[in-house]
Amino acid sequence: MTLSKYEQTIAYSRIYGLYVALCWLTGFYFFVLRLTLDSVVCFACILLTPVLLYGFAKRFRETRSGGVLTFGQALLLIFMTCAHASLLTAVGVWVYFSFLDAGSFVSLMETSLNALDTEIFEKAYGMPKTEAMQMVSAFSELRPIDITFGYLLDSLFASVFVSVVVALFVKKTGVPDGYAV
């Protein structure tokens, strides 16, 4: 991969990362603000991510890469797209927990836990309900930057796996369009 091809790949990953981040932030804000159909939108955003990544990589392959994209190039494009999306989404998560939350997320978790019957909870999750309440209490003591870094690391870790799978589907080897054999 030449330097100009690398720079082009990184530039497009920034643009594509913005769109993926908007998708992720939509799901996040629907969930934390408890807007109508919050869980449906969150689930749709999660399922939409690999589809978006595949579409972006395929568009890049066809329009910018001459119809050929090796596994390494596809992996670089998709992972960097996810990395840029993770950074942008982390900023959105930090803004929420720093300025907008005021403890409502923790109270949502506490309300959800209190609404469940103790026996049903312990059977479903395999842990005492008091232990779950302690975890919520520990979460409430985290600073917004701690939550943000936790989110960022989790999303980057998940991005590695998603990138490998999507890159396997989008790669296409051969002679680039416009080159004679």
Side-chain angles (χ1 to χ4, degrees), residues 10-177:
I10 297 302
Y12 274 88
S13 72
R14 289 183 194 122
I15 296 166
Y16 298 152
L18 175 64
Y19 292 119
V20 174
L22 289 174
C23 176
W24 291 352
L25 282 171
T26 300
F28 173 75
Y29 279 105
F30 261 79
F31 177 73
V32 295
L33 298 176
R34 296 179 296 280
L35 299 174
T36 307
L37 300 174
D38 59 343
S39 57
V40 174
V41 172
C42 286
F43 191 66
C45 289
I46 291 170
L47 291 180
L48 187 61
T49 298
V51 175
L52 279 174
L53 292 171
Y54 177 81
F56 291 145
K58 185 176 178 185
R59 180 185 306 161
F60 181 83
R61 179 187 73 200
E62 300 302 325
T63 61
R64 300 290 174 209
S65 192
V68 174
L69 197 62
T70 66
F71 175 76
Q73 291 169 328
L75 186 64
L76 175 68
L77 175 70
I78 296 165
F79 180 74
M80 290 307 293
T81 297
C82 289
H84 290 115
S86 295
L87 285 171
L88 292 171
T89 307
V91 170
V93 168
W94 178 78
V95 165
Y96 173 78
F97 283 109
S98 293
F99 303 110
L100 303 175
D101 182 51
S104 64
F105 188 72
V106 171
S107 67
L108 171 68
M109 289 193 296
E110 288 174 345
T111 304
S112 299
L113 279 174
N114 290 330
L116 294 173
D117 183 46
T118 304
E119 289 180 28
I120 295 172
F121 180 85
E122 290 176 2
K123 193 176 204 180
Y125 296 105
M127 66 188 293
K129 191 173 175 180
T130 56
E131 191 174 317
M133 292 299 279
Q134 289 173 351
M135 290 182 354
V136 170
S137 175
F139 182 83
S140 70
E141 295 174 13
L142 292 175
R143 298 174 302 163
I145 196 72
D146 298 330
I147 297 167
T148 302
F149 277 125
Y151 167 80
L152 182 63
L153 291 174
D154 288 346
S155 64
L156 286 173
F157 185 72
S159 296
V160 170
F161 296 107
V162 171
S163 299
V164 169
V165 172
V166 174
L168 284 171
F169 285 102
V170 80
K171 73 179 175 87
K172 185 177 179 184
T173 56
V175 179
D177 293 342

